[in-house]
Amino acid sequence: GKKIAAGRGFTSAGKWRPSKRARGSVKVWRCNFAQCPAMLRAIKYNNGSCCVMESTARTKQHNNHIERTRGVPGVPGEIRALLSPTKLALGPKRCRAYLRKQSMSDGVPVKLLLDAPTDDARKLRSALEKLHKTFLQKQRSEVMTEGKGGSFGGLSSTLEKYERDLLEAKGSFNEHSVFLLGKPLVVPETGRVTYAVSTENLLLNAYRQTQFGLPPMICVDTTHRLVIEGHCCMLIGTMSVTQHFHTIAYGVCSHEDAEAHKFVFRQVVDAVNVVVHDRAVKKQRV
């Protein structure tokens, strides 16, 4: 049937709620354009399948989506609908570069609206920066306990929300979900912070590389140019037979020493073994 991407032109209008009639959970999505009544209805059935249905009622159809009028505050819905959460996270400059390559539904290039020497274009660029900042603040509030920012307690509470067991309990875990590998090392007395994160798909790169008859080739580099709250980032990956680099995991550490490397390596090795074993038991592809 017709594919409808709810994450592109639609935004969530509530939480998943159980429905006996649908024999599962139901969630409603609304069109991103201002004052547009179009809706989608997503259903997750108890048997694991799902479907997305578009409203067929006359009162729930898309309107003309025209919002490019003077004096409209914020980002017009016709431009906002072009921005997925992934694009909003890029940052204002990269987001504008992406939008300059896009066009409106009537064929008008967005570049003309962004780069025009007018006050409206300046307000639009400013609104995009504000939209990006609001998006990041919303993301931060979802994982950071209010009032604990910049503290070891806030870091610990944030890392707990990325534990695999919690993500699976919330139903938001898949092979591309970022999760915490093992227990993090957070010692407030010495200021030591060390932990590793990855996804199932990235962890499997370590196993796949050994299937070509070559010994494991692990590449590790720690950079202090890319930092997270002052902590350096440790990139761990492997090389394939075609000389391409494949990421396995990321480590974050406050001290680049032997202890930090041993801790991160042990977390990664244990996580790879668990993922490979679980997939073998479930007879899933590795």
Side-chain angles (χ1 to χ4, degrees):
K2 182 181 179 182
K3 294 184 178 180
I4 302 172
R8 287 286 293 174
F10 292 80
T11 186
S12 174
K15 300 181 179 180
W16 289 100
R17 53 182 178 81
S19 173
K20 292 183 179 180
R21 182 178 179 182
R23 296 182 181 179
S25 300
V26 178
K27 188 174 185 178
V28 174
W29 302 75
R30 297 186 185 279
C31 181
N32 269 337
F33 295 104
Q35 300 179 353
C36 180
M39 297 173 58
L40 295 179
R41 187 166 181 260
I43 303 176
K44 287 195 302 186
Y45 296 104
N46 295 330
N47 60 6
S49 61
C50 61
C51 73
V52 178
M53 297 184 292
E54 187 176 12
S55 177
T56 56
R58 286 188 176 182
T59 57
K60 301 297 181 182
Q61 300 301 307
H62 289 285
N63 58 18
N64 54 19
H65 291 174
I66 299 300
E67 295 181 345
R68 281 169 279 155
T69 58
R70 295 181 64 86
V72 176
V75 180
E78 196 166 357
I79 296 178
R80 176 65 181 84
L82 298 172
L83 298 172
S84 65
T86 304
K87 301 303 180 185
L88 279 175
L90 291 177
K93 290 185 178 179
R94 295 181 64 187
C95 185
R96 289 197 297 269
Y98 163 76
L99 286 174
R100 288 188 178 98
K101 301 176 183 178
Q102 308 302 312
S103 300
M104 301 288 193
S105 57
D106 54 1
V108 177
V110 180
K111 182 178 180 180
L112 297 180
L113 302 178
L114 279 174
D115 299 336
T118 62
D119 289 340
D120 287 345
R122 179 181 57 79
K123 291 179 181 179
L124 178 58
R125 293 192 294 270
S126 177
L128 283 171
E129 293 184 5
K130 185 177 180 181
L131 181 64
H132 170 70
K133 185 180 296 185
T134 303
F135 174 77
L136 293 183
Q137 289 175 347
K138 184 177 179 181
Q139 278 194 325
R140 177 184 174 89
S141 65
E142 291 177 353
V143 297
M144 176 63 70
T145 304
E146 186 175 357
K148 288 191 175 183
S151 66
F152 286 101
L155 175 61
S156 297
S157 63
T158 299
L159 292 177
E160 288 176 359
K161 296 177 181 178
Y162 286 95
E163 293 181 356
R164 177 167 179 166
D165 293 340
L166 182 60
L167 294 175
E168 290 179 341
K170 291 169 59 178
S172 58
F173 182 83
N174 57 52
E175 63 179 1
H176 301 294
S177 299
V178 177
F179 67 98
L180 190 65
L181 307 184
K183 294 294 183 181
L185 180 64
V186 180
V187 186
E189 291 77 13
T190 59
R192 178 175 287 275
V193 174
T194 311
Y195 62 89
V197 295
S198 187
T199 69
E200 274 200 357
N201 191 50
L202 291 180
L203 288 171
L204 289 173
N205 285 334
Y207 175 81
R208 293 166 182 150
Q209 192 270 337
T210 63
Q211 305 306 301
F212 295 96
L214 296 176
M217 293 181 288
I218 302 299
C219 308
V220 183
D221 186 30
T222 303
T223 173
H224 292 264
R225 294 183 179 181
L226 177 63
V227 297
I228 302 176
E229 297 295 333
H231 306 315
C232 52
C233 179
M234 183 188 303
L235 175 61
I236 304 170
T238 184
M239 296 295 293
S240 65
V241 293
T242 57
Q243 296 297 301
H244 287 85
F245 180 79
H246 301 274
T247 303
I248 296 175
Y250 290 92
V252 176
C253 55
S254 56
H255 298 71
E256 187 186 358
D257 53 15
E259 184 180 347
H261 282 78
K262 287 169 61 177
F263 182 87
V264 172
F265 289 166
R266 175 50 55 193
Q267 300 285 54
V268 173
V269 170
D270 292 344
V272 171
N273 291 334
V274 169
V275 171
V276 173
H277 177 267
D278 288 348
R279 287 187 168 242
V281 171
K282 297 176 182 178
K283 297 183 179 180
Q284 295 177 338
R285 285 187 60 185
V286 177

